[in-house]
Amino acid sequence: DAKTTQPTSMDCAEGRAANLPCNHSTISGNEYVYWYRQIHSQGPQYIIHGLKNNETNEMASLIITEDRKSSTLILPHATLRDTAVYYCIVGLRNSGNTPLVFGKGTRLSVIA
Amino acid sequence: GAVVSQHPSWVICKSGTSVKIECRSLDFQATTMFWYRQFPKQSLMLMATSNEGSKATYEQGVEKDKFLINHASLTLSTLTVTSAHPEDSSFYICSAREPGLAGDEQYFGPGTRLTVT
């Protein structure tokens, strides 16, 4: 079972920041937080991951609370192409045989 | 990031026939690949874990005799849906981990849409 809870859907105006929350209150000390997104009829795309520090890459920023029980994915300037289902997943690193388990995700709609 | 490909991207077959889906890691070797299935408006559900040179491990409720998985090399895994029925119509997605010094991200193929008529 997925160990995360996300809102079912969110809307965001084009050009504004999209802030997607995720609760993972049962995360263990060595589990990472991963974010993937899935655009309609495509395979999931890796976005970012983190353990306890905030992370930023060319796609997004990941803010993890100090107690690690929740996190927020930030798309700084959302575009129409960011419309997708966003999945927050917790899992171990370097665990070759252990797959990522997907929850229901958040359907983000970016509106012009 | 690493690239995982799938072939075909979509297929239509008649009920009772078998369909093979290929999953390749294009620029890395994948000891382990994963197969997921996704029905409309639902999330990805893990079907099986495919290990190179050994038998696949299937999730509970997935029929191993119906969904044959072969992982004959470090860059290729195949999923064969045998005696397909309309209820097998779904979006099948494979995935592989790219091992590296910084860790092992899991990358996904573009998916194969199977329609059984």
Side-chain angles (χ1 to χ4, degrees), chain A residues 34 36 38 41-44 46 49 87 92-100 102-104, chain B residues 32 34 36 38 42-44 46 49 51 91 93 97 102-106 108-110 113:
Chain A
Y34 293 86
Y36 283 77
Q38 186 179 25
S41 294
Q42 297 184 23
Y46 166 80
H49 74 273
Y87 296 98
L92 299 171
R93 297 278 283 165
N94 298 316
S95 57
N97 270 359
T98 306
L100 296 176
F102 286 75
K104 296 182 178 180
Chain B
T32 304
F34 309 101
Y36 294 80
Q38 186 176 35
Q42 295 186 22
S43 187
L44 284 76
L46 180 68
T49 299
N51 296 294
F91 193 49
I93 305 169
R97 286 190 182 273
D104 54 347
E105 311 312 335
Q106 189 169 336
F108 291 81
R113 185 162 301 283

Side-chain angles (χ1 to χ4, degrees), chain A residues 44-103:
Chain A
Q45 176 189 21
Y46 166 80
I47 300 174
I48 199 168
H49 74 273
L51 181 63
K52 54 183 179 180
N53 297 323
N54 297 338
E55 302 288 344
T56 295
N57 63 19
E58 64 278 6
M59 291 183 68
S61 294
L62 173 60
I63 308 298
I64 303 174
T65 58
E66 191 170 345
D67 63 8
R68 302 208 326 122
K69 292 185 177 182
S70 65
S71 61
T72 301
L73 179 74
I74 301 172
L75 307 180
H77 306 285
T79 70
L80 298 179
R81 289 177 296 180
D82 292 322
T83 292
V85 178
Y86 287 76
Y87 296 98
C88 169
I89 304 167
V90 298
L92 299 171
R93 297 278 283 165
N94 298 316
S95 57
N97 270 359
T98 306
L100 296 176
V101 177
F102 286 75

Side-chain angles (χ1 to χ4, degrees), chain B residues 24-84:
Chain B
R24 294 181 185 273
S25 55
L26 296 186
D27 48 3
F28 66 100
Q29 294 184 329
T31 304
T32 304
M33 291 184 174
F34 309 101
W35 287 95
Y36 294 80
R37 178 168 55 181
Q38 186 176 35
F39 293 107
K41 298 188 184 299
Q42 295 186 22
S43 187
L44 284 76
M45 295 296 295
L46 180 68
M47 297 177 65
T49 299
S50 166
N51 296 294
E52 186 267 336
S54 63
K55 292 183 179 180
T57 302
Y58 291 81
E59 295 300 298
Q60 189 173 7
V62 178
E63 301 175 56
K64 62 179 181 180
D65 294 330
K66 181 172 183 61
F67 299 99
L68 301 179
I69 293 173
N70 184 285
H71 193 156
S73 78
L74 288 172
T75 59
L76 172 65
S77 176
T78 61
L79 168 67
T80 301
V81 183
T82 63
S83 186

